[in-house]
């Protein structure tokens, strides 16, 4: 019987208070219900941001009760994204949650020079996946933000993912750096970048995780496939994180796991000053709630780190 990794994730949030969350432009039934489901689960305290008439008509049509939650009325989705960033900057919200606007629209507001949410890190997307046939939680990155990540981008993608897994209690996450083959060849630039990332980790440029690659998917995920190819690796057959060579590969991989292997995928964007919860219209209720649970745990870790800094 497979373990329910999402239930384990939710149990970690049991004793945490709901986190104030700016829900940006929840003007579809799916986006609005996703935020309210997470609120009902005790994970977030939503602040709804968008055109009042659209949010209220969406709620009425879907039979959703929103009266108890604050609603910040703005003219359109661009203004909603900007207002969400303002609420975070002012300390009124600790999380951002995407509603029914395009991801780029929200992320542009986050990365604007005056947003106050930028860090030295590249933003990256990560799927936390509950795969019935895999023996532990599996994370796939990047499947939604960086289309053709450079070597430096990939280093930040690794760092972001490692930091998240540290929050989840994984002391030394194992990262499999994927390509089409497991040998280094100039014909496939992703194999060169994977090899460079391994060296960067050995030299301390990427810390806190164990990296190996390039690895093809079969020998990354299956120890016997790696053995048959003569690959000796602590990562092969037991990765926590799969680093895709580019967005197309990552997106296809994640959706194959969802639609062919029965996996669930919770999505979050990392690398900003606060986590950004990214959900899709096709997400199940459980996946939406798990996305919020990831954000809650990251917000709690950030709060703790800031408290420690203040005492230092």
């Amino acid at each position: 019987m497979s373990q329910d990794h999402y239930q384990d994730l939710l149990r970690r949030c049991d004793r945490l208070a709901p986190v104030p969350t700016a829900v940006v432009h929840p003007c579809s039934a799916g986006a609005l219900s996703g935020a309210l489901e997470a609120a009902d689960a005790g994970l977030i305290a939503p602040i709804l941001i968008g055109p009042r008439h659209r949010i209220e008509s969406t709620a009425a049509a879907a039979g959703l009760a929103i009266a108890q939650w604050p609603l910040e009325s703005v003219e359109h989705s661009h203004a909603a994204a900007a207002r969400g960033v303002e609420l975070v900057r002012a300390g009124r919200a600790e999380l951002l949650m995407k509603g029914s606007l395009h991801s780029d629209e929200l992320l542009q507001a986050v990365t604007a020079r005056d947003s106050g949410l930028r860090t030295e890190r590249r933003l990256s997307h990560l799927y936390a996946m509950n795969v019935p046939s895999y023996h532990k939680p599996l994370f796939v990155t990047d499947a939604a933000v960086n289309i053709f990540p450079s070597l430096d981008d990939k280093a930040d993608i690794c760092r972001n993912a490692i930091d998240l897994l540290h929050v989840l209690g994984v002391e030394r996450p194992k990262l499999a750096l994927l390509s089409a083959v497991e040998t280094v060849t100039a014909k496939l630039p992703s194999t060169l970048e994977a090899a460079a990332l391994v060296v960067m980790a050995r030299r301390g440029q990427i810390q806190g995780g164990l990296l190996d690659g390039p690895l093809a998917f079969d020998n990354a995920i299956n120890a016997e496939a790696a053995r048959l190819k003569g690959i000796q690796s602590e990562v092969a057959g037991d990765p926590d994180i799969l680093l895709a060579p580019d967005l197309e590969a990552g997106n296809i991989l994640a959706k194959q796991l969802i639609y062919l292997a029965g996996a669930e995928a919770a999505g979050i964007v990392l690398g900003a000053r606060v986590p950004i919860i990214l959900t899709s219209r096709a997400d199940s209720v459980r996946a939406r709630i798990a996305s919020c649970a990831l954000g809650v745990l990251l917000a709690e870790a950030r709060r703790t780190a800031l408290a420690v800094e203040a005492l230092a």
Side-chain angles (χ1 to χ4, degrees), residues 25-28 32 50-60 75-77 100:
H25 206 253
C27 296
S28 69
L32 186 56
R52 178 179 294 274
H53 68 282
R54 287 193 62 186
I55 294 174
E56 289 179 342
S57 62
T58 297
E75 188 176 358
H76 44 60
S77 57
S100 53

Side-chain angles (χ1 to χ4, degrees), residues 13-31:
C13 300
D14 280 347
R15 296 184 181 181
L16 301 178
V19 177
T21 301
V23 184
V24 179
H25 206 253
C27 296
S28 69

